[in-house]
Amino acid sequence: MPSDFQSWVAARQSHFEGVLRGLLPNPEATPQRLHAAMRYSVLDGGKRVRPLLAFAAGELAGADVVRVSIVAAAVEMIHAYSLVHDDMPCMDNDVLRRGKPTCHVQYDEATALLVGDTLQALAFQLLAEHRLNDDAARQLEMIKLLAVASGSRGMAGGQAIDLASVGKSLTLPELEFMHIHKTGALIRAAVLLGAQCGSVSAPQLAQLDHFGKLIGLAFQVVDDVLDCEEDTATLGKTAGKDANNDKPTYVSLLGINDARDMARRLRREALETLAEFGDSAQRLRELADFIVLRKF
Ligand code: GRG
């Protein structure tokens, strides 16, 4: 990672942690246990890839950082809710997330369910109560964008397909369809929401949409590779889980070398979509590299 990019990431991550601390409910307020569990599940963990993408897209679009911070927080809250629910016994049944006990292990299952519910509600409350764009109609479109990306035609739908595919052999297009929804939809939304806090033309937004889709898929292909190659301590979550759970992945379908090649090809295509943005897309390019070259 270039040191300039590293400093940019560190500055955004530290700023964002403060934003989240301020937006999450006070743990002293009733119901204290639920509020503490919400904070436990969101704060002090994760790479913050989606918020970083929102900040980079916002910079490209000349957006106000206060506005981008709100959409980044909303996306991260949806992401954190999905991890809490995904880890529960009724889904992936895992005990480790972001190097800590999962929410239902640290608290209990009912609390984990409520943490997911309330983080999702809070995400939309934030988008509704803060000014994100001077054009109110555009702001409504942004709220709808996150709703669609999170719902049955987005992340939750992808998760349903994932749960139904255990023990089955999917074709490559079927696997791609699942991941474009389960993982890709929220990553794409992060890019588009960050950009829409500023000003971008319709053709530019279409280019960024394309970038978001490609990099969202690349993220998942790399996730599959890391699940096989890295250990639990490095990942901060249980390694080798997909193979153990008999889930189809890019590695099980293509083999590790072709999966790596696929991630590199998706990165190349993603970078091509940014060609016309010049220097303003530098952070997005660096994030594309980070997503493909990361080790955790
Ligand atoms: C429960 C509705 C619902 C959806 C769950 C995202 C998801 C869908 C499940 C998470 C399980 C999983 C391993 C998904 C694949 C890729 C992914 C989203 C990994 C986790 O994201 P990172 O690596 O995590 O950005 P951090 O902790 O860095 O934020």
Side-chain angles (χ1 to χ4, degrees):
M1 263 204 276
S3 64
D4 170 53
F5 175 61
Q6 260 172 340
S7 318
W8 180 84
V9 167
R12 290 297 164 289
Q13 284 174 334
S14 144
H15 159 80
F16 187 61
E17 201 64 24
V19 168
L20 288 172
R21 282 183 189 282
L23 293 173
L24 284 160
N26 184 336
E28 313 289 307
T30 306
Q32 287 96 340
R33 185 175 163 82
L34 176 58
H35 290 160
M38 290 168 78
R39 297 177 76 88
Y40 176 84
S41 304
V42 176
L43 298 174
D44 300 321
K47 298 175 285 297
R48 311 299 195 200
V49 164
R50 295 154 195 80
L52 290 171
L53 284 166
F55 284 119
E59 284 183 21
L60 175 150
D64 174 359
V65 73
V66 176
R67 293 181 177 186
V68 183
S69 301
I70 297 297
V71 300
V75 170
E76 187 67 11
M77 285 179 193
I78 298 282
H79 171 58
Y81 121 66
S82 80
L83 299 179
V84 169
H85 279 188
D86 183 67
D87 289 333
M88 289 181 68
C90 58
M91 292 207 191
D92 257 16
N93 193 17
D94 214 329
V95 295
L96 188 71
R97 172 69 65 182
R98 293 177 163 176
K100 304 191 286 193
T102 47
C103 182
H104 67 276
V105 169
Q106 183 73 13
Y107 290 88
D108 54 72
E109 277 184 48
T111 303
L113 192 66
L114 290 173
V115 163
D117 296 342
T118 50
L119 286 177
Q120 176 157 220
L122 181 54
F124 287 102
Q125 180 188 330
L126 293 174
L127 297 188
E129 74 187 358
H130 293 266
R131 172 60 68 195
L132 307 174
N133 190 290
D134 293 339
D135 177 357
R138 171 58 69 99
Q139 177 152 349
L140 268 182
E141 285 297 325
M142 292 166 73
I143 298 173
K144 180 178 163 190
L145 178 82
L146 187 61
V148 174
S150 311
S152 69
R153 308 296 291 270
M155 180 186 75
Q159 177 78 347
I161 299 171
D162 185 332
L163 293 170
S165 70
V166 174
K168 291 194 182 140
S169 61
L170 298 186
T171 62
L172 200 55
E174 285 169 339
L175 188 68
E176 196 163 297
F177 183 88
M178 172 172 92
H179 286 309
I180 281 173
H181 290 80
K182 178 180 147 181
T183 313
L186 207 54
I187 289 181
R188 168 179 171 254
V191 174
L192 292 178
L193 289 172
Q196 287 182 90
C197 289
S199 92
V200 274
S201 66
Q204 284 177 325
L205 203 58
Q207 288 296 101
L208 290 173
D209 190 13
H210 201 187
F211 170 80
K213 278 183 193 154
L214 290 164
I215 213 61
L217 194 56
F219 184 94
Q220 182 60 53
V221 178
V222 172
D223 207 72
D224 285 355
V225 170
L226 293 177
D227 189 59
C228 295
E229 286 193 328
E230 298 298 332
D231 56 25
T232 297
T234 309
L235 295 178
K237 60 182 181 180
T238 311
K241 218 171 66 174
D242 292 335
N244 294 342
N245 289 348
D246 201 13
K247 278 193 180 177
T249 68
Y250 285 98
V251 175
S252 67
L253 239 72
L254 297 175
I256 197 119
N257 289 331
D258 283 3
R260 273 204 217 96
D261 280 351
M262 181 175 175
R264 282 193 278 264
R265 177 177 57 74
L266 288 166
R267 168 183 165 265
R268 241 187 347 265
E269 288 173 15
L271 293 181
E272 281 165 16
T273 67
L274 299 177
E276 72 173 56
F277 289 104
D279 287 350
S280 68
Q282 191 50 28
R283 295 304 180 209
L284 283 179
R285 288 189 193 97
E286 289 164 335
L287 281 169
D289 288 346
F290 170 72
I291 283 170
V292 173
L293 302 173
R294 72 200 161 99
K295 292 279 171 234
F296 60 100

